[in-house]
Amino acid sequence: MSRKENAASLVQDYAEVFICPVCGDTVEVVELKSVVCPKRHTFDFAKQGYINISTRSMKVNYDKELFAARENIIMKHKLYDPLHTRLLEVIKVEAANNPRSLLLDAGAGEGSHLAKILDQMKTVTGIGIDISKEGIRLAASKSEKAMWLVGDLANIPVKDQSLHTIINILSPANYQEFKRVLIENGLMIKVVPGANYLIELRDTILEEQKRFFTNEETISLFKQHYSDVQIEELTYTKELHQEELRDLIKMSPLSWNAEQESINEVRNREHFGITIDLAILIGKNR
Ligand SMILES: [Zn+2]
């Protein structure tokens, strides 16, 4: 089977979960080519194995180079491996109860986090959604254990209470929609930066008043939406060599507001110690 047919066959296997993104009716997979609803709204699988359900085209502030850098940082340089290890432990507990557990990565980008997590899970199937077609195109070639969608987080094309776990890593949330699609007691996991996230980079390239930020509001909003909330802090440092450092700068939104001169200064360092400081917010959907 081609990659496209593989992807279509996975969606077919879970067709009862999906709804038409236009009218909300049930859908079926036709000839391993398209997803179609009774009103004939039709979404074709791309040859890379994803579906574009986005109803509006949107210019996003990401590009190929940024996704390539993110992919290197996550897959090759393994900067977020301690995060994946912890997420796997948490997700496995939920997945143990269900042989057809569905894990949504909301804001999956180029799919690296989800692909790495699914690689180490036997019974879980993924759904990766992102508004960036460029990102999802790369994602679809990375893992065949997930169904990849180009679409809006405000309109996730699945039935109410049909997903078991949602991860939302360093990416904006849409709690109203997340609550709709998660099963009762389903697991919501959001990863946000802590005060010392990439602090060395921020201290070097940002003006003083832009260096400080706090995740207090994000945490308080999360607590309003979910029950039994646990907050785990995960902090570690890594010595980056030049190639890793350059990829990190490329993928980092921090560098968008920085002076080119100070970015260049950092880019030319042979080594650079970096702190990854994250808060993992875990809650139950009730
Ligand atoms: Zn429809």
Side-chain angles (χ1 to χ4, degrees):
M1 274 207 280
S2 68
R3 187 169 278 278
K4 173 173 154 178
E5 286 165 338
N6 264 325
S9 133
L10 184 59
V11 172
Q12 188 168 49
D13 196 23
Y14 285 91
E16 81 283 355
V17 169
F18 289 92
I19 56 174
C20 173
V22 179
C23 68
D25 210 334
T26 55
V27 291
E28 58 177 350
V29 174
V30 175
E31 293 172 355
L32 295 186
K33 275 185 188 155
S34 320
V35 172
V36 184
C37 82
K39 296 197 185 72
R40 313 306 296 169
H41 298 127
T42 303
F43 302 88
D44 295 332
F45 286 87
K47 70 168 191 296
Q48 295 89 348
Y50 66 89
I51 319 172
N52 188 349
I53 53 147
S54 145
T55 44
R56 56 205 170 110
S57 85
M58 205 165 139
K59 190 87 187 134
V60 278
N61 210 356
Y62 287 94
D63 61 17
K64 231 179 188 160
E65 212 178 58
L66 183 145
F67 285 125
R70 246 184 71 146
E71 181 174 304
N72 280 342
I73 283 288
I74 298 169
M75 308 294 281
K76 187 172 154 200
H77 310 320
K78 306 181 194 302
L79 190 57
Y80 294 90
D81 273 15
L83 172 66
H84 300 143
T85 303
R86 182 60 194 136
L87 293 180
L88 270 165
E89 287 167 0
V90 177
I91 296 165
K92 270 181 181 161
V93 174
E94 149 61 42
N97 305 321
N98 189 339
R100 280 171 69 81
S101 188
L102 284 171
L103 166 66
L104 172 73
D105 185 356
E110 81 305 327
S112 309
H113 288 300
L114 182 58
K116 281 205 84 166
I117 289 167
L118 291 174
D119 252 4
Q120 296 172 68
M121 307 224 49
K122 285 204 175 66
T123 60
V124 173
T125 299
I127 301 176
I129 186 166
D130 200 281
I131 194 67
S132 165
K133 186 167 152 186
E134 199 59 62
I136 290 298
R137 199 200 313 251
L138 287 166
S141 59
K142 209 167 279 154
S143 174
E144 294 194 75
K145 289 176 79 179
M147 301 172 264
W148 299 103
L149 306 170
V150 180
D152 193 338
L153 287 192
N155 187 24
I156 302 170
V158 300
K159 288 182 181 153
D160 294 359
Q161 305 208 347
S162 56
L163 309 179
H164 305 84
T165 305
I166 298 179
I167 53 174
N168 177 232
I169 303 176
L170 301 171
S171 177
N174 184 318
Y175 291 130
Q176 195 185 341
E177 185 69 344
F178 292 176
K179 289 183 76 70
R180 181 186 71 79
V181 301
L182 256 190
I183 59 164
E184 175 98 23
N185 284 323
L187 203 55
M188 177 70 219
I189 306 172
K190 181 170 179 63
V191 179
V192 296
N196 290 322
Y197 184 65
L198 306 183
I199 185 78
E200 300 82 356
L201 196 55
R202 283 190 283 137
D203 275 353
T204 316
I205 68 175
L206 293 184
E207 293 165 38
E208 204 163 345
Q209 67 271 24
K210 290 183 188 160
R211 287 177 196 167
F212 181 77
F213 76 92
T214 167
N215 57 25
E216 272 168 40
E217 261 179 59
T218 315
I219 290 175
S220 134
L221 192 64
F222 188 88
K223 282 180 173 165
Q224 285 168 33
H225 284 96
Y226 298 95
S227 310
D228 303 352
V229 172
Q230 279 171 260
I231 297 165
E232 299 183 4
E233 282 175 19
L234 180 66
T235 307
Y236 51 94
T237 56
K238 194 171 191 272
E239 190 72 18
L240 303 184
H241 56 69
Q242 197 173 70
E243 185 200 340
E244 293 171 317
L245 179 60
R246 288 182 174 186
D247 280 331
L248 183 69
I249 291 170
K250 239 183 258 169
M251 73 166 242
S252 171
L254 294 172
S255 56
W256 298 346
N257 313 314
E259 293 285 331
Q260 196 55 46
E261 202 179 318
S262 50
I263 293 177
N264 288 342
E265 193 270 313
V266 179
R267 277 176 53 83
N268 291 326
R269 305 257 191 115
E270 300 276 332
H271 294 277
F272 196 85
I274 202 87
T275 299
I276 299 294
D277 178 27
L278 300 167
I280 306 173
L281 321 182
I282 305 168
K284 288 272 173 84
N285 191 37
R286 266 189 211 136

